[in-house]
Amino acid sequence: MTVTHHPVDLLRFNTCGSVDDGKSTLIGRLLYDSKSLMEDQIEALERSADITGGGQINLANLTDGLRAEREQGITIDVAYRYFATPHRKFIIADTPGHVQYTRNMVTGASTANLSIILVDARQGVIEQSRRHAIIASLLRIPHLVVAINKMDLVDWSEERFLEIKDQFEEFLPRLDIKDVKFIPVSALQGDNIVTLSAHTPWYPGPTLLGHLETVHIASDWNLSNFRFPVQWVNRPNNPTDHTLHDFRGLSGQIAGGIVRVGQKVMILPSGFSSTIKQIWTLDGLQEEAFSPQSVTLVLEHDLDISRGDVIVDAEDLPGASSDLHAKICWMNPRPLTPGKQYLIKHTNQTVKASVTAIEHRINISTLEKEDGITELAMNDLGEIRLKTAKPLIYDGYAINRLTGSFILIEPGTNTTVAAGMLLPPTEVARPEYRDFAI
Amino acid sequence: MKSYHLDHLDYLETEAIHIMREVAAEFERPAILFSGGKDSICLLRLAEKAFRPSDIPLPFLNVATGHEFPELLEFRDRRAKELGAKLIVRSVDEALEKGLAVQAPGQISRNQLQIPVLLSAIEEFRFDCCIGGARRDEEKARAKERFFSFRDSFGQWDPKNQRPEIWNLYNGRLNPGENMRVFPLSNWTEMDVWEYIKREKLEVPSIYFSHQRRCVRRGGQWVPDTKLMPAKANEEVKELIVRVRTIGDIISTGCVESPAATCDDIIAEIAAARVTERGSRADDRVSEAAMEDRKKAGYF
Ligand SMILES: Nc1nc2c(ncn2[C@@H]2O[C@H](COP(=O)(O)OP(=O)(O)O)[C@@H](O)[C@H]2O)c(=O)[nH]1
Ligand SMILES: [Mg+2]
């Protein structure tokens, strides 16, 4: 850990790849080489090395925190790790490689700015690498790093590195990832992780950590379209401060864009118009605020607004519809079958929904859309149509990760069964939607 | 031009405020676990940020071991009063008396005994959600914890069967008898907590800062010398200048020798620290899976 005297920003990344590609070792290495490991952690590693590892420290043990993981030598669940350099703070999600844990990969990747895909240099690009790149692309992770690992086992061969890079680049054009970086590494020995390796004179850099510290992430949030899903109505009860008697604030996290005092807004689905009177925070009134800040808005008019309503810029309306088209990742052992009822949680509201059609499944090896599908099984990716009991106020996921995403919940068991990403709306919200207000 | 970019503390703060408000909106009877320790002090600040100018709409619950540092109890009561919140205290002593908790032979630390007390308080007040100040960086099993951590009707955590948590969409739905633990500080590190305490100018109990204390050497660390477990003849006792990094049951809380008298000193100390904060807690060192086992049984 390093003291940071000036504000630093935060980069969230996840690591993925197939089993044994070296994800846990890589994270252990990043922590170890950036001096983020503490003596008791190193001692604990050494202790278990003496008992189980024949004296060899196993860096993977740092992240494989559950007993079953240590016993089976695999990563079951997403593990989160934290480290900092003078330039940035990092949150790492170590996501498992086993096919049956793809849902955890989606979990770890959903909040990431960047994904690292590990490829075993001996094996090259395999189905899992492709699957993970596709998930990263579907989730619109802005930055991708392909870390070609175990270079020590292929004699640090530039030829092999380029061969794998070619394999990967071959299917990249079909993905939606703008920024991809290829880095040859040995997680085990630390080559090109924090310092450039003498073994790869043909590689100009940057090192993995160097890249993580400098990749440009300022524009990863939507700052263009003001969206404010109301989370909690803030109404003081018998306040001692009588200026607060009529205080009616709307609390929430700005899901997109910038809001300013005096701005004209519309409340959806009711369609009522108003103006921003105050932006209230514990740190004082603000003139403006932006995504993803959490604030409390006070409007000029006293309107009937509740959780789930969305306040938007009056000149820039989102979509509104109860017929939705989305890409999803199915996460439950019981397959998705059309006609079944679920609950959909989207921004701050949960409403009933039924799946009206499965349009196709996405073949994750070829990226082809397969038609004539009757169900989606666990870890399948597909496109579906949904009907909701109440229109959703939303944007396409490509424009806004917060107003364009949802989860499906199975009633009864209450488990989260799918992660969904909405396709761009075909209908823009209109004041007529007042009819739908409850 | 103004930059519309959050620094890391602002980011962690907005994430936590969002979670607090989700809890207030989605649960019927939520509570905040407040021990008086540094993490829960941050939680209370975040609750103010989330709910002011309204009252904080959740009562505070403290599961007291009966082995607290006196400074902590004084601070706990005062802070709850300052914030105008309702503070509920349930104690291990009471539970031992009523037979709700049973001390294992030879067991002196009471961290383990907090489990039945917490579970019975949840039942007594029919809490459906408890917000806690646990952080993922504290311990390996915690690193796997979700923000919304589902507990079955026995209060148990099943790490292999956690709900996927995607974007900022938290699934808080429960069936009767089930329970949620919510950890808004999941993504915070010890350093973030101190940087936040400094930035927000939060008061913390004095034992976090350097003070003189009679300590006894036990299990490779210095712990306070107390009447609860007096030093044996063969144990080394010393007057030291110490502070605590993490607070648990007084007899198992390690004291680190430190001159740190201000937040800035502590931040500098953590930056240079070579052991983790939990490295000073004997209860976690019992085995590699100590925390995992306690959590499965219903620990915070
Ligand atoms: N030779 C070599 N072995 C590696 C390297 N990285 C990881 N390994 C080994 O590959 C195995 C799997 O690593 P692990 O980190 O557990 O993979 P994970 O399943 O992706 O998390 C372990 O035995 C590691 O020691 C590397 O760069 N070179
Ligand atoms: Mg692993």
Side-chain angles (χ1 to χ4, degrees), chain A residues 26-37:
Chain A
L26 179 81
I27 291 175
R29 172 59 64 188
L30 277 171
L31 298 175
Y32 196 84
D33 285 359
S34 63
K35 310 216 166 15
S36 307
L37 284 183

Side-chain angles (χ1 to χ4, degrees), chain B residues 29 31 33 61 63 88 90 114-131 151-155 177-181 298-300:
Chain B
R29 302 174 71 88
L33 298 171
L61 170 66
V63 178
I88 298 166
R90 286 293 173 272
Q114 287 175 288
I115 299 171
V117 182
L118 174 66
L119 297 183
S120 81
I122 286 172
E123 230 177 270
E124 178 184 349
F125 295 95
R126 290 183 292 121
F127 288 133
D128 49 1
C129 174
C130 293
I131 296 183
R151 304 300 161 100
D152 65 16
S153 50
F154 297 98
E178 294 168 348
N179 204 269
M180 200 67 81
R181 302 289 161 76
Y299 194 67
F300 308 131

Side-chain angles (χ1 to χ4, degrees), chain A residues 10-185:
Chain A
L10 185 73
L11 177 89
R12 303 189 63 151
F13 67 93
N14 75 315
T15 50
C16 41
S18 191
V19 191
D20 283 348
D21 283 348
K23 294 175 298 298
S24 302
T25 309
L26 179 81
I27 291 175
R29 172 59 64 188
L30 277 171
L31 298 175
Y32 196 84
D33 285 359
S34 63
K35 310 216 166 15
S36 307
L37 284 183
M38 301 289 161
E39 274 164 19
D40 54 321
Q41 290 172 310
I42 295 171
E43 264 170 38
L45 273 185
E46 283 167 350
R47 237 178 312 165
S48 61
D50 288 340
I51 301 165
T52 54
Q56 260 277 28
I57 282 196
N58 185 353
L59 286 173
N61 264 353
L62 278 171
T63 53
D64 295 343
L66 300 174
R67 186 181 284 142
E69 293 175 315
R70 286 191 299 273
E71 281 163 10
Q72 297 168 37
I74 55 162
T75 311
I76 291 172
D77 205 331
V78 188
Y80 294 90
R81 292 286 143 193
Y82 304 84
F83 74 104
T85 69
H87 305 277
R88 263 188 187 158
K89 294 232 173 191
F90 299 94
I91 301 180
I92 320 173
D94 180 16
T95 45
H98 296 253
V99 181
Q100 69 266 38
Y101 300 120
T102 295
R103 60 177 202 166
N104 290 328
M105 146 104 202
V106 171
T107 300
S110 69
T111 48
N113 308 89
L114 179 147
S115 267
I116 299 178
I117 297 188
L118 269 107
V119 174
D120 185 329
R122 295 169 303 177
Q123 302 196 15
V125 175
I126 56 168
E127 178 162 340
Q128 275 296 317
S129 333
R130 271 193 218 104
R131 176 185 277 263
H132 289 152
I134 287 168
I135 293 174
S137 153
L138 267 175
L139 289 167
R140 297 252 163 191
I141 297 176
H143 314 279
L144 191 67
V145 172
V146 182
I148 299 172
N149 189 31
K150 308 198 184 183
M151 288 300 295
D152 54 308
L153 299 180
V154 295
D155 275 337
W156 312 100
S157 154
E158 178 179 21
E159 206 185 335
R160 183 65 186 144
F161 172 75
L162 293 175
E163 209 170 81
I164 294 169
K165 186 166 178 259
D166 284 347
Q167 286 174 0
F168 210 96
E169 280 177 336
E170 210 174 289
F171 80 102
L172 262 183
R174 284 174 282 169
L175 299 184
D176 244 322
I177 305 175
K178 284 172 212 89
D179 172 32
V180 184
K181 187 114 217 146
F182 295 86
I183 306 179
V185 300

